[in-house]
Amino acid sequence: MTLVQPLKSIQSAAKGDRRWDWLGLVPFFAFAFAFLILPALSIAVRSFQDNAGQFTLQNILDLRQPSIMSAYAVSIRLSIVTALIGGLLGALMAYAVTAGGLPEKVRSPLVTFSGVASNFAGVPLAFAFIATLGRLGLMTGWLKNLGLDLYAQGFNLYTFWGLMLTYLYFQIPLTVLILVPAFDGLRREWREAAENLGASSWDYWRQVALPILMPSLLGTMILLFGNAFGAHATAYALTGGQINLVTILIDAQIRGDALQNPGLGNALALGMVFIMAVSIALYSWLQRRTSRWVR
């Protein structure tokens, strides 16, 4: 009896302390509300308002215009292409980092560079590619001196495929950062058990490793899709608005002179929010599937 009462008092005190643990989340929820939820609600409301602030469905109906549908199609195509190529190349690099036998002195700088490159976007990235692969770029001139004229062969940095190449600069490193922990989660015991049962290396990857990694791979590609779909500064700085992307069209509707229509711009943004929400939901579901194997 003498020990029970002190234990109960300690437990009650611990429960009392834990009642205030949620206060640590207040800054996060305040930030999320101010910069995520509140802007999304504002976009949703303004999508159904005209320039006079009156309710209207015209902004939503205008999304059926051919130029707007084309902008969504180009943005989705660019996002899918960069997600697939960036995801596959990044997965190969992540495999080389984790299971390829790279020494630690190579792995650590590569992962560090991936962390920097995955966040290097916008105007600086566009300028770097223009200075490197533009018509008067350093590598363009160097290859031309060697007898290979890229632009005479049909290459153009300021087109869809040039923009895709630029996006891959931050898509591939982002894939490496995400998939390195997933490859590290493959336990050596699983491979040893498969080999003891007579499985070849191909059988192990086809029947054990790939099924485990597939949710993480697909989730990474979905994240890459959203990352490219929402990019604006890089595309605008590189092409000057020549490519019909949704983000560039939103900028023209909200800040432009001739095409200014804030209501339509908010409706375009609402469509992007819906697509991004679906992508985030799929990514979250796949991450929950993956967490069962990497604990």
Side-chain angles (χ1 to χ4, degrees):
M1 292 297 293
T2 57
L3 293 177
V4 173
Q5 291 180 348
L7 286 175
K8 288 184 177 180
S9 60
I10 293 174
Q11 291 175 354
S12 61
K15 290 181 180 179
D17 293 338
R18 285 197 296 268
R19 287 184 301 177
W20 302 102
D21 289 347
W22 60 272
L23 289 176
L25 296 175
V26 171
F28 168 76
F29 285 117
F31 182 86
F33 178 79
F35 295 99
L36 182 63
I37 299 176
L38 192 60
L41 293 176
S42 176
I43 289 173
V45 171
R46 295 180 182 181
S47 298
F48 296 94
Q49 291 179 344
D50 56 18
N51 292 334
Q54 301 298 320
F55 177 81
T56 180
L57 292 175
Q58 190 60 44
N59 297 324
I60 304 299
L61 297 177
D62 287 342
L63 295 180
R64 299 178 299 176
Q65 296 178 15
S67 60
I68 294 178
M69 298 299 294
S70 175
Y72 274 107
V74 173
S75 296
I76 292 175
R77 182 160 65 99
L78 178 64
S79 302
I80 290 176
V81 170
T82 57
L84 291 176
I85 298 178
L88 292 176
L89 295 179
L92 293 176
M93 291 182 62
Y95 171 77
V97 168
T98 55
L102 287 179
E104 185 62 28
K105 62 181 180 180
V106 176
R107 169 175 173 160
S108 182
L110 180 59
V111 174
T112 302
F113 170 77
S114 298
V116 175
S118 63
N119 292 283
F120 185 70
V123 177
L125 179 61
F127 175 78
F129 267 82
I130 292 173
T132 305
L133 290 173
R135 291 187 179 275
L136 300 177
L138 180 64
M139 183 171 290
T140 304
W142 180 70
L143 292 175
K144 192 173 183 179
N145 292 333
L146 295 178
L148 178 60
D149 191 343
L150 292 178
Y151 285 82
Q153 298 296 325
F155 173 80
N156 192 343
L157 181 64
Y158 313 106
T159 60
F160 176 89
W161 296 108
L163 184 59
M164 179 211 72
L165 182 64
T166 307
Y167 276 25
L168 289 178
Y169 183 86
F170 57 81
Q171 294 282 67
I172 294 175
L174 181 59
T175 306
V176 174
L177 287 179
I178 298 174
L179 289 185
V180 163
F183 278 100
D184 283 336
L186 292 176
R187 300 176 184 174
R188 183 179 301 177
E189 294 84 353
W190 297 342
R191 188 180 190 110
E192 293 175 351
E195 291 176 351
N196 290 335
L197 293 174
S200 62
S201 179
W202 166 248
D203 293 330
Y204 164 74
W205 280 101
R206 182 172 58 90
Q207 300 183 17
V208 179
L210 281 180
I212 294 174
L213 290 173
M214 190 57 63
S216 184
L217 290 171
L218 293 177
T220 300
M221 290 185 180
I222 292 173
L223 186 63
L224 295 180
F225 172 87
N227 192 39
F229 189 70
H232 168 67
T234 302
Y236 188 82
L238 184 68
T239 66
Q242 297 179 13
I243 299 180
N244 188 26
L245 298 176
V246 177
T247 53
I248 294 178
L249 195 57
I250 291 173
D251 181 76
Q253 296 293 336
I254 293 179
R255 298 195 303 173
D257 295 328
L259 298 177
Q260 187 176 19
N261 186 349
L264 180 57
N266 281 280
L268 286 164
L270 184 62
M272 290 190 65
V273 169
F274 175 77
I275 294 174
M276 295 291 287
V278 173
S279 301
I280 293 173
L282 288 174
Y283 176 74
S284 301
W285 177 72
L286 289 171
Q287 282 296 101
R288 287 196 298 270
R289 291 284 303 271
T290 307
S291 63
R292 297 182 306 173
W293 303 102
V294 295
R295 289 175 182 173

